[in-house]
Amino acid sequence: YSFMRVIAGLAKGTRLTELKGSLVRPTLDQVKETLFNILGYNLSGEYFLDWFGGSGAIGIEALSRGAEKVIWVENNRKSQDLIYANLKKCRFWNGKNESSYTKWKLLKMDALQAISVLEKSCLTFGIIYIDPPFENNLYNKCLNMLSGSQLLKASTLVVVEHNKKNSLEKFYGKLSLKDERIVGSTTLSFYHLKNV
């Protein structure tokens, strides 16, 4: 059993809180390390969408590495509390007046509904991380919806964490599979816009 820690950056070494025995399946440190080795140490200027927030660990790692803005989407109350607790632990929030923080935002809603809300704010993201609950098998739906959304720009990288038994398609609309990394029983699939 390993504790999740922030690997690098401002909050390096901070131990994150996890939900005990819950449905939130934390991204293992090893997977997170592989992911961020690929994304790079410095994410300054990046807009990062952690589309199924869970414990918030992936987005917090991005914040710690200097991302310009991190948005989590999470509709489970316990997971929302967990994200807040971890933001406080890492000193990215003092627990008051959430709206005064420009670096991050937690959208408390269903993941698929969040797309139109984000489009209304005219946001585009450099990195979009998708780690839906395995059992709901939302991968195809999410990737197809994302492909048709206005959240992508030419350089957007979409990363999907999934069980390696679940193989994903090579193409979803405008998105095409660029790379895959296998870490234990987990696969990270990297998509970008075709012709980029």
Side-chain angles (χ1 to χ4, degrees):
Y1 184 79
S2 70
F3 290 101
M4 288 192 299
R5 290 174 192 276
V6 178
I7 302 166
L10 297 170
K12 182 180 177 176
T14 308
R15 233 163 92 166
L16 300 176
T17 308
E18 299 169 47
L19 277 184
K20 296 281 173 282
S22 78
L23 294 170
V24 174
R25 177 185 44 75
T27 296
L28 296 169
D29 272 355
Q30 215 183 343
V31 175
K32 194 166 74 171
E33 218 160 305
T34 303
L35 170 70
F36 282 94
N37 283 344
I38 293 168
L39 297 181
Y41 179 79
N42 183 353
L43 296 180
S44 63
E46 290 288 7
Y47 276 57
F48 192 105
L49 175 61
D50 191 346
W51 199 5
F52 291 81
S55 66
I58 297 290
I60 283 173
E61 186 71 42
L63 262 187
S64 184
R65 290 170 188 243
E68 185 63 31
K69 194 177 192 77
V70 173
I71 294 184
W72 290 272
V73 179
E74 181 53 68
N75 64 354
N76 175 303
R77 186 62 207 279
K78 280 186 173 157
S79 294
Q80 291 164 4
D81 292 345
L82 202 54
I83 292 171
Y84 285 132
N86 283 328
L87 279 165
K88 272 181 164 160
K89 262 191 153 173
C90 294
R91 304 207 168 104
F92 291 130
W93 186 41
N94 65 6
K96 300 184 201 66
N97 196 2
E98 188 181 331
S99 58
S100 66
Y101 285 78
T102 55
K103 287 270 188 197
W104 58 267
K105 192 178 176 102
L106 172 56
L107 293 182
K108 301 169 183 157
M109 61 179 65
D110 175 75
L112 298 173
Q113 286 171 336
I115 286 193
S116 56
V117 171
L118 291 166
E119 284 180 328
K120 284 191 187 95
S121 3
C122 296
L123 287 170
T124 57
F125 294 91
I127 303 163
I128 297 177
Y129 189 76
I130 306 176
D131 179 18
F134 281 169
E135 68 280 1
N136 298 3
N137 213 352
L138 290 166
Y139 302 102
N140 295 352
K141 203 175 200 173
C142 287
L143 287 159
N144 281 322
M145 252 183 109
L146 193 57
S147 165
S149 78
Q150 291 154 25
L151 305 183
L152 306 173
K153 53 185 186 177
S155 58
T156 302
L157 184 63
V158 177
V159 188
V160 189
E161 180 182 324
H162 57 102
N163 191 300
K164 71 174 180 200
K165 292 200 285 269
N166 283 19
S167 59
L168 300 182
E169 308 288 332
K170 293 267 184 285
F171 299 103
Y172 291 95
K174 295 181 294 201
L175 290 169
S176 88
L177 184 65
K178 179 179 162 188
D179 193 10
E180 282 193 321
R181 298 291 168 92
I182 294 174
V183 187
S185 62
T186 300
T187 300
L188 291 172
S189 294
F190 295 83
Y191 287 86
H192 61 169
L193 286 174
K194 287 180 198 164
N195 310 324
V196 173

